[in-house]
Amino acid sequence: MNVTHVPVLVKEILEYFGHIEGVFLDCTVGLGGHAEAILNNNSRSFVVGLDVDEEALDIARRRLEHFIREGRLKLFKSSYVDARKVLNQLSLDTVDAILMDLGVSSMQLEKAERGFSFNRDGPLDMRMDKEQTVTAYEVVNFWDEETLSRIIFEYGEEKRYSRRIARYIVQNRPIKTTKQLVEILARAIPNKFDRKRHFATKVFQAIRIVVNSELDNLKRFLPNVPELLRSGGRIGVISFHSLEDRVVKEFFKSEPRLKQLTKKPITPKESEIELNPRSRSAKLRIAERV
Ligand code: SAH
């Protein structure tokens, strides 16, 4: 299978980061789309790329082999939460830029067996890191109704029907596949076709966030940024839903060692959304280490 992932907001990233020479920490290197753009843009840039997904790293390794051989790209299987450890291994005290591209890659979505997609039938998995034990199956089949309702409300931002959805899930256990879950959601959610997005979007988002501790990881990592960045260095974070964007926004505002370069987040142009629908909810915020 030929998997691809079109990186989002590349032009905008290069506008703010293209002149920076030195080491970029790509916290979520994925298939290496942003890393590649950075490396191609400036021959005096280096990238340390992290990801928890071995499958993604394998593809990045193959695709960007020439940069690895030249010593300009190093890839590590690591959570960005442990970025400090990786940089220590490389004897790097600080880096010149940090990039984060949160959310799922198209590769993860397209591979049915990963269980991320409500459009493809697969096992309820959704782990970005295969070494981790909690899966979507466990969340859907073993977490109690109250907790499910809460996570759907909070992380799915499904304010209206979270209780009803949780009840339907609990009543229809065991649920083994993404298709089964979608069928249950179809029964649980009234007026499901009146929505802007597919009716399963919010619940899948909620489960994915808890399976991968997405918001917790972000909240744990951000306070390290001022120590990781050299003075004048920049961080750019691309988020795909308002919960993440809020965390980034609040952090940038509250941290005196960072100066926001984007009062309002940068969003993709119409032309990009047309070519790459996945980009439609992307928001990019950038700050500079003072
Ligand atoms: N910028 C990449 C795409 C990134 S998609 C590109 O252009 O190809 C988001 C990636 O973040 C996924 O590959 C996912 O596995 C990874 N990810 C999620 N949580 C992570 C974490 N805590 N640490 C490192 N990578 C993580």
Side-chain angles (χ1 to χ4, degrees), residues 60-87:
R61 249 178 235 124
R62 246 178 288 135
R63 267 182 10 91
L64 304 177
E65 200 203 326
H66 55 294
F67 289 120
I68 297 176
R69 253 189 288 116
E70 288 167 20
R72 294 182 60 208
L73 171 66
K74 292 193 193 303
L75 296 173
F76 295 86
K77 157 117 184 8
S78 167
S79 169
Y80 59 69
V81 175
D82 300 319
R84 178 78 270 163
K85 281 190 212 151
V86 175
L87 297 182

Side-chain angles (χ1 to χ4, degrees), residues 51-55 77-79 82 108 114 116 125-135 211-212 217:
D51 208 290
V52 288
D53 189 333
E54 278 290 3
E55 204 170 344
K77 157 117 184 8
S78 167
S79 169
D82 300 319
Q108 289 164 332
R114 301 293 302 263
F116 283 102
D125 189 330
M126 300 198 201
R127 283 172 303 169
M128 290 175 172
D129 184 351
K130 286 274 177 96
E131 282 176 67
Q132 165 193 313
T133 49
V134 181
T135 62
V211 166
N212 298 292
N217 286 340

Side-chain angles (χ1 to χ4, degrees), residues 5 13 27 31 38 40 42 104 109 129 143 172 215 221 244 260 265 275 281:
H5 173 90
I13 292 269
C27 288
L31 311 201
I38 294 291
N40 277 330
N42 190 326
V104 257
L109 278 175
D129 184 351
W143 289 20
N172 286 285
L215 285 163
F221 173 73
E244 280 171 348
Q260 282 207 70
L275 288 172
S281 45

